[in-house]
Amino acid sequence: MLVHGSRPLLGCILATALGCTGTVTVPAPVQRDTGSSGGTTSNAAGTSGSSGAGAKSSGGSTSGSSGTTNDPTAEACAKQTGAALKVGRSRLSRLTRTQLDHTLRDLLGVAGSPSSALTPDETVGPFASNALAVVTDLIVEQHQELAAKVALDAQSRRAKITPCDLASGDACVKTFITTFGAKAYRRPLLDDEIAAYTALYGVGGTPDDGFRLVLEAMLQSPFFLYHADVGPTGTPSAMPVSLTSYELASRLSYFIWDSMPDQALFDLAAKDGLDDDATLRDQVTRMLADPRAKDAVPLFHLQWLDISAAQLGSLASAQPALAEAMLAEASDFSNHVILAGDGRLSTLFTAPYSYPRGALFDIYGLSKPASFTDGTQVMLDGTERAGLLTQAGFLVKHYRGDQEGSVVHRGITIRENLLCTPIDPPPANVMATPLPPVAGTTARDRFAAHETGSCAGCHTQMDPIGLAFENYDGLGRYRTTDGGVTIDASGEIVDGGDLTGSFTGVVELGQKLAQSRTVADCAATQWFRFALGRIEAPDDACTLKALHDGFAASGYDVRALITTLVLSDAFRHVRAIGTQEDMP
Amino acid sequence: MPHFPRRALSRRALLKTLGVSASLAPFVPLLNASGQELKRPKRLLLVFTPDGSADSDTSAGPIDWKPQGTETDFTLHPIQDPLTPLKSKLIVPWGLRMSAKGAGEQHAYGSAGMWTGALLKDPGNGADFDGGNGHRTGWDSGPSVDQILAANAGPGLPYAVTPDAAVQETAYRTLELGVQCGNPTSVTRTIYKADDTPLHPETDPQAAFDRLFGNFMPDTQAADAAQKKKEQQSILDLVTADLNRLKTRVSSEEYPKLEAHLTGIRALEQRLETMTPVANADCTAPDRPASSGKYANNANFPAEVGAMLGMIPHIFACDLTRIASVQLSCGFSNVTHTWLGHTDAHHTMSHQDVDNRDKLVAIDHWYAQQLATMLQALDAIDEGEGTLLDNTLVVWGRELGTTSHAMQPWPTLLAGGAQGALRTGRFLDVSKQPSAQLLVSILQAMGMQSTTSIGNIDMDSGPLGGLA
């Protein structure tokens, strides 16, 4: 376990091991954000036995993924053809903070983000997930405190929450426990569960207190706090089995809404009505049109690009309004493109408009229209800005205080999160400290050291991408000079499959990404990880192939991708028991 | 002479027995079953502050943390100057080499190893974190010194009863507190219950206050208290039943999560059975601090540090726990000490190619001031045979030796002495000795006399010579 030998030996390791090491002051990434594992993996489902990092073994491949001969996903799927259905392992997963907030909102009308009292979520790939997170005494107590607070607050809204007057007697108490419990547990309660809650209600002594105790316990129950999919037998299986209707309803709602199912989904689940493709398609369409989709779509895009709120770091504390504006812009933009616009992946990288608000107008050098209200679309200078990568949120989040770190970090983020081709770590003995800015030089000059010798193996994969971002400063403002020298924003993608080649500036990079099958395959893979809260496993190869092919067939319409994902084997089945292959 | 309620006999119950009202309470010594006055418990406090001592990347040589003088006649390093009034209660073991190694780079394995003496693991079991400069890591491979101590019980130790006993001596076996510690990764966590099992600190001072002192009202109606306890026990029974039923539905691979959840529920149950301290002259609640809010706010860092450290004397005086840790920021600290006039973050300044040593020293000096304030508060509480500080062992440590990532000399400092187990008022040159020896010495001083090894890096190191 203590060697790196489990990682694939990519060429860049071999190259760097020869001498990009030791004592020199090597410009290299300073701290990448420690609050996230970026685009690399947390090996959620357990992945290939030969790799410590699942993302490396799949997803958008580095080259030729549009064909079939060089596509490892297609090859892996082909090997599974004719065999029994294969699906990666699912883990018992505690609700994330946003899932809990949205669930409390939909279940009890709780406003705000009460879950900020909880220990932060862990991540799977770039996405928040507690599939692997250790449960501690503190986390259990935080859930207890949150449950007590929410239950106490809900007492004043009791009449709105209960279907009848609890004071009217036992019949109403049972009705309340049965109907409310089915929402909280996201499945009908068992008889002995109803009995247990009825007894607990009695401990309260009054309707108000009985109500409070029932809520307080339900909100601490593991059936509320965890996604515990196992299928209809109620026992874990080493073979993939269909989800129960209720489990599928929850998977759907937490994927598309980041929240619990609504009554329509519960009603369908109650009559086992989520089996057929047509119904699932209808539900996806209905759910994407629901305002709750506007919670999940930005969540995906912000986490995908690693610009989630808490990570705007010092900006968020120094200028919270500006940080909120950056998040709101990316949220409004992704919601518009995916839910109201053409839904195309390419539009995310090329749209010459955005949704700036507040101080972003100054940063973008735009004047605010006279009758502007937040959320209004604004046209940009398309030569300076187009798409998510030129928005302040991405630019600021991946800025690293000094230009050297930014070059590497922005390059790595593109490489890992958008191309699904993680960069291997530098050799263990590299002691990297960034080079200081020197008057009369640009980052490009200072980075020349990376472009020769053994460092080049890895750094040519990231630096030439990051250098194309030099037109943007630490606040995302467009600039043409750095250190008094005119910026050369030419960039290059090396060993990037259909992306390989040179370009100038981020607007052109966006156009390049928009046309790439590699990026599209990677995006589909990232949606898989987001939807299922786990990294793809070898057993998911055919689901991934279906996603990649279906996305292409739709002209890269993300809404179609979401539907394909919901209809996929991995989404509709669960395998709860790991196999030898799943073992880390 | 000090006194306050704990264990089986609360102050209130005792006063009732004696037939006096709390407001008129005279000195009442704490007695054991045989009528002998109980000795105050030993306490342990670990304090983490980020990064190493300043040496920058210039050729000017390091700021080395080293006191000047002889073992018993010395002057503290200027960084530690705020602690000078407490010099007789300090030990500065200078020159230790950190028993910290493993995956990632030094910020990562330093954070993981500083209190554990155990290797930071490679990615695996789903844990995969950036350990600096793109190096990947998992979690640490062993428990930290505070958790090792907490797992033990017996004469001379902080606790007499084992962790699984239904009735505990304190509300919390251990407390993990922190300020702006970041999301859970290997470079932001320092306390481990076991291999692969980090313990996250509570980082909201208000949440910590509410949890610890929120019910700190004198003489709640006894009937209410009984009803409240019955309610909570009923809820916990139901949740326990659900956890056990869920356990029958999931793969055995998920048992650790559910067992940890059950352990958490069990801790809540133990708390119901444990006497709640009652406010009195010796045990008071601090002021309720502001909440840290949804996102870490750099500007609030000093206030949050003050609130968390300020809570510690109250926590110990009220016997809410006997083993605690406070983690201020984390590895790769991105705290910008604007209140010292700085414009760049701590870690950023540690690697700039300008001589930032004055600024880095100012940061360390600021942390020393915060620590000094807390130590003086501990020392102001008289516990009879000594002060609360005398009954405590406070250990200050950091995740690096120096800002340029040397793991030696480790800037560390001890205060208190754990009821005389360690001879204080000394400067010890222990250059290049492994920090595992210090960790072993901590365990021995806290009552685990037969312990001679910790972690898996410098195993069987024995204690640090000359410390006891």
Side-chain angles (χ1 to χ4, degrees):
Chain A
M1 293 298 290
L2 293 170
V3 293
H4 272 293
S6 65
R7 301 181 74 89
L9 277 176
L10 298 187
C12 70
I13 277 200
L14 298 172
T16 51
L18 294 174
C20 179
T21 56
T23 57
V24 290
T25 303
V26 181
V30 267
Q31 173 200 9
R32 286 161 56 199
D33 189 72
T34 55
S36 158
S37 48
T40 51
T41 80
S42 289
N43 202 15
T47 53
S48 103
S50 63
S51 168
K56 288 177 167 284
S57 59
S58 53
S61 56
T62 53
S63 59
S65 62
S66 56
T68 50
T69 49
N70 280 332
D71 182 346
T73 305
E75 282 172 20
C77 175
K79 282 182 193 158
Q80 292 169 11
T81 304
L85 173 67
K86 284 187 178 285
V87 165
R89 175 179 52 153
S90 293
R91 301 300 303 259
L92 178 70
S93 207
R94 195 163 47 83
L95 297 185
T96 64
R97 298 213 287 192
T98 61
Q99 287 175 344
L100 188 59
D101 285 340
H102 296 144
T103 302
L104 289 173
R105 176 199 63 196
D106 295 342
L107 184 66
L108 286 164
V110 176
S113 44
S115 73
S116 58
L118 300 174
T119 292
D121 298 323
E122 296 197 13
T123 52
V124 161
F127 303 109
S129 166
N130 292 317
L132 301 152
V134 171
V135 179
T136 68
D137 287 3
L138 176 64
I139 288 171
V140 173
E141 185 161 28
Q142 287 170 334
H143 278 299
Q144 181 206 39
E145 291 165 353
L146 184 60
K149 183 176 182 302
V150 168
L152 189 63
D153 291 348
Q155 273 187 326
S156 63
R157 304 191 304 277
R158 173 164 69 91
K160 283 186 193 161
I161 294 165
T162 58
C164 46
D165 183 2
L166 291 174
S168 67
D170 292 351
C172 176
V173 171
K174 186 173 180 186
T175 304
F176 160 63
I177 288 169
T178 306
T179 57
F180 185 83
K183 289 183 196 166
Y185 279 40
R186 304 184 287 274
R187 58 155 173 85
L189 297 195
L190 307 172
D191 286 346
D192 57 354
E193 289 166 341
I194 293 171
Y197 277 107
T198 306
L200 179 63
Y201 179 91
V203 172
T206 66
D208 255 356
D209 287 330
F211 170 81
R212 173 176 56 82
L213 294 185
V214 167
L215 255 54
E216 197 172 330
M218 283 184 180
L219 299 182
Q220 288 179 73
S221 167
F223 293 108
F224 172 78
L225 290 176
Y226 290 87
H227 302 294
D229 300 336
V230 65
T233 64
T235 52
S237 167
M239 297 297 291
V241 296
S242 294
L243 293 173
T244 69
S245 296
Y246 285 99
E247 289 167 347
L248 185 54
S250 282
R251 263 203 194 168
L252 262 174
S253 69
Y254 281 100
F255 171 31
I256 299 179
W257 289 341
D258 200 44
S259 186
M260 60 180 284
D262 68 350
Q263 196 56 49
L265 284 170
F266 279 134
D267 289 346
L268 281 167
K271 56 181 185 183
D272 274 335
L274 282 167
D275 275 354
D276 63 294
D277 290 7
T279 305
L280 284 173
R281 284 178 199 281
D282 288 348
Q283 286 305 309
V284 171
T285 304
R286 177 183 78 87
M287 293 173 74
L288 286 173
D290 187 284
R292 279 169 283 197
K294 292 183 177 176
D295 294 326
V297 166
L299 203 62
F300 170 82
H301 289 90
L302 290 168
Q303 293 182 4
W304 179 34
L305 298 177
D306 192 16
I307 47 178
S308 41
Q311 298 175 349
L312 281 169
S314 52
L315 180 75
S317 54
Q319 301 183 65
L322 179 57
E324 292 290 341
M326 291 175 180
L327 297 169
E329 179 190 26
S331 296
D332 289 349
F333 177 79
S334 57
N335 269 332
H336 171 81
V337 172
I338 304 303
L339 298 174
D342 64 12
R344 307 281 157 173
L345 179 69
S346 56
T347 306
L348 294 171
F349 298 120
T350 58
Y353 55 80
S354 190
Y355 296 82
R357 58 175 71 182
L360 291 179
F361 280 97
D362 285 342
I363 287 174
Y364 292 174
L366 296 170
S367 49
K368 193 184 284 188
S371 60
F372 177 82
T373 54
D374 286 352
T376 303
Q377 189 178 96
V378 173
M379 294 307 291
L380 305 169
D381 177 347
T383 64
E384 293 183 3
R385 273 175 225 279
L388 278 167
L389 301 185
T390 59
Q391 291 177 12
F394 182 84
L395 296 169
V396 170
K397 174 55 178 45
H398 299 289
Y399 178 76
R400 279 298 174 274
D402 56 84
Q403 293 310 303
E404 290 67 31
S406 301
V407 165
V408 177
H409 189 81
R410 286 165 169 175
I412 287 179
T413 305
I414 299 293
R415 199 90 205 183
E416 297 193 336
N417 294 32
L418 297 185
L419 275 63
C420 292
T421 54
I423 309 288
D424 266 318
N429 52 349
V430 167
M431 250 306 252
T433 52
L435 287 175
V438 178
T441 67
T442 63
R444 183 175 298 272
D445 300 327
R446 299 189 290 278
F447 262 68
H450 271 170
E451 293 174 18
T452 56
S454 54
C455 300
C458 287
H459 277 278
T460 54
Q461 294 182 33
M462 40 193 168
D463 298 359
I465 301 175
L467 285 166
F469 283 86
E470 285 300 298
N471 280 136
Y472 307 93
D473 70 7
L475 272 178
R477 286 176 297 222
Y478 193 81
R479 62 179 182 178
T480 54
T481 60
D482 172 24
V485 178
T486 301
I487 287 169
D488 168 9
S490 61
E492 184 180 4
I493 297 178
V494 176
D495 190 19
D498 61 359
L499 284 155
T500 304
S502 54
F503 60 93
T504 301
V506 183
V507 172
E508 212 174 297
L509 172 63
Q511 290 163 356
K512 214 169 158 53
L513 297 173
Q515 295 162 16
S516 163
R517 173 71 192 244
T518 301
V519 173
D521 283 355
C522 176
T525 301
Q526 298 285 25
W527 274 102
F528 172 100
R529 296 170 179 172
F530 175 76
L532 293 169
R534 62 180 180 85
I535 296 297
E536 68 281 3
D539 281 358
D540 295 310
C542 290
T543 286
L544 283 176
K545 183 175 185 319
L547 293 181
H548 295 170
D549 293 349
F551 198 25
S554 74
Y556 305 110
D557 182 333
V558 173
R559 295 168 300 211
L561 175 66
I562 290 169
T563 306
T564 310
L565 188 40
V566 166
L567 294 173
S568 71
D569 287 338
F571 196 86
R572 296 161 87 169
H573 295 84
V574 61
R575 175 165 65 81
I577 295 180
T579 62
Q580 195 59 38
E581 227 184 13
D582 293 312
M583 297 305 158
Chain B
M1 289 286 281
H3 49 88
F4 65 62
R6 65 193 178 98
R7 296 207 58 192
L9 199 59
S10 79
R11 175 182 174 83
R12 187 176 48 217
L14 188 60
L15 293 174
K16 243 176 221 168
T17 309
L18 297 175
V20 293
S21 80
S23 59
L24 298 173
F27 159 65
V28 181
L30 198 65
L31 307 176
N32 69 8
S34 314
Q36 297 163 316
E37 188 172 348
L38 285 172
K39 194 173 171 67
R40 311 319 312 276
K42 283 181 186 171
R43 286 80 150 204
L44 176 66
L45 174 67
L46 307 179
V47 180
F48 167 95
T49 69
D51 224 298
S53 53
D55 60 359
S56 81
D57 295 313
T58 68
S59 56
I63 303 291
D64 61 13
W65 190 261
K66 187 177 184 178
Q68 295 299 310
T70 65
E71 178 176 338
T72 52
D73 182 12
F74 62 95
T75 309
L76 289 170
H77 189 278
I79 287 174
Q80 306 148 6
D81 186 53
L83 299 161
T84 298
L86 292 156
K87 199 171 76 171
S88 67
K89 302 200 172 183
L90 303 180
I91 306 172
V92 186
W94 181 82
L96 289 172
R97 164 181 64 78
M98 291 182 75
S99 299
K101 286 181 182 172
E105 47 104 280
Q106 291 80 5
H107 286 287
Y109 64 68
S111 300
M114 61 183 291
W115 302 134
T116 64
L119 290 163
L120 179 58
K121 291 158 75 168
D122 271 357
N125 294 323
D128 185 347
F129 310 109
D130 185 349
N133 287 331
H135 297 289
R136 312 303 301 178
T137 86
W139 292 120
D140 198 65
S141 58
S144 49
V145 64
D146 56 322
Q147 300 299 314
I148 295 170
L149 180 63
N152 283 273
L157 286 160
Y159 294 112
V161 304
T162 56
D164 56 353
V167 180
Q168 294 286 303
E169 296 149 285
T170 59
Y172 292 83
R173 192 81 182 183
T174 67
L175 273 175
E176 292 74 42
L177 303 173
V179 176
Q180 301 190 11
C181 296
N183 286 348
T185 77
S186 57
V187 290
T188 65
R189 294 297 178 259
T190 57
I191 301 296
Y192 285 81
K193 192 169 186 183
D195 176 31
D196 272 339
T197 312
L199 291 181
H200 311 295
E202 175 59 62
T203 55
D204 184 341
Q206 190 174 81
F209 173 91
D210 289 350
R211 189 172 301 137
L212 296 165
F213 301 102
N215 296 324
F216 215 67
M217 293 299 152
D219 296 326
T220 311
Q221 290 296 316
D224 282 354
Q227 169 68 13
K228 202 167 159 44
K229 183 174 167 186
K230 186 182 176 193
E231 287 180 358
Q232 288 304 310
Q233 188 59 60
S234 304
I235 290 171
L236 295 175
D237 286 347
L238 192 152
V239 173
T240 300
D242 272 9
L243 281 163
N244 284 322
R245 190 164 55 254
L246 178 57
K247 209 170 151 187
T248 66
R249 295 172 56 88
V250 301
S251 162
S252 59
E253 299 147 80
E254 312 295 355
Y255 289 178
K257 277 179 213 152
L258 294 179
E259 273 155 14
H261 202 134
L262 282 163
T263 301
I265 295 290
R266 177 82 183 131
L268 297 176
E269 288 177 332
Q270 287 172 324
R271 222 156 286 146
L272 288 177
E273 300 298 330
T274 303
M275 283 295 173
T276 310
V278 179
N280 59 50
D282 306 307
C283 165
T284 59
D287 293 334
R288 186 173 188 245
S291 171
S292 53
K294 192 171 174 185
Y295 308 126
N297 186 335
N298 193 82
N300 293 344
F301 188 75
E304 291 171 13
V305 169
M308 284 298 193
L309 289 178
M311 236 179 279
I312 292 293
H314 298 271
I315 288 168
F316 282 155
C318 295
D319 210 19
L320 288 161
T321 191
R322 297 170 187 175
I323 301 173
S325 57
V326 183
Q327 182 187 325
L328 307 178
S329 188
C330 55
F332 289 121
S333 175
N334 65 359
V335 172
T336 302
H337 293 250
T338 50
W339 49 95
L340 300 176
H342 300 171
T343 53
D344 284 327
H346 188 170
H347 177 254
T348 303
M349 288 201 302
S350 76
H351 293 306
Q352 286 170 335
D353 202 27
V354 289
D355 194 341
N356 281 329
R357 286 179 304 163
D358 287 351
K359 289 177 179 169
L360 294 165
V361 164
I363 292 173
D364 291 351
H365 187 266
W366 181 82
Y367 279 119
Q369 283 175 324
Q370 312 313 305
L371 203 66
T373 302
M374 180 198 67
L375 292 176
Q376 278 164 339
L378 288 171
D379 204 36
I381 297 173
D382 184 359
E383 291 199 326
E385 291 173 53
T387 68
L388 174 50
L389 179 60
D390 298 329
N391 289 325
T392 304
L393 178 57
V394 181
V395 189
W396 180 13
R398 328 204 2 206
E399 92 270 20
L400 294 178
T402 72
T403 51
S404 63
H405 294 206
M407 303 305 271
Q408 192 275 334
W410 186 36
T412 187
L413 186 147
L414 312 180
Q419 293 181 342
L422 302 179
R423 289 178 291 125
T424 59
R426 294 189 301 146
F427 147 50
L428 293 175
D429 188 339
V430 287
S431 188
K432 309 230 168 77
Q433 297 302 303
S435 63
Q437 291 184 345
L438 176 63
L439 300 179
V440 166
S441 287
I442 291 168
L443 292 172
Q444 292 189 352
M446 295 306 295
M448 293 174 62
Q449 279 95 347
S450 59
T451 299
T452 57
S453 184
I454 185 170
N456 50 25
I457 294 170
D458 289 303
M459 283 179 286
D460 302 313
S461 66
L464 190 59
L467 195 57

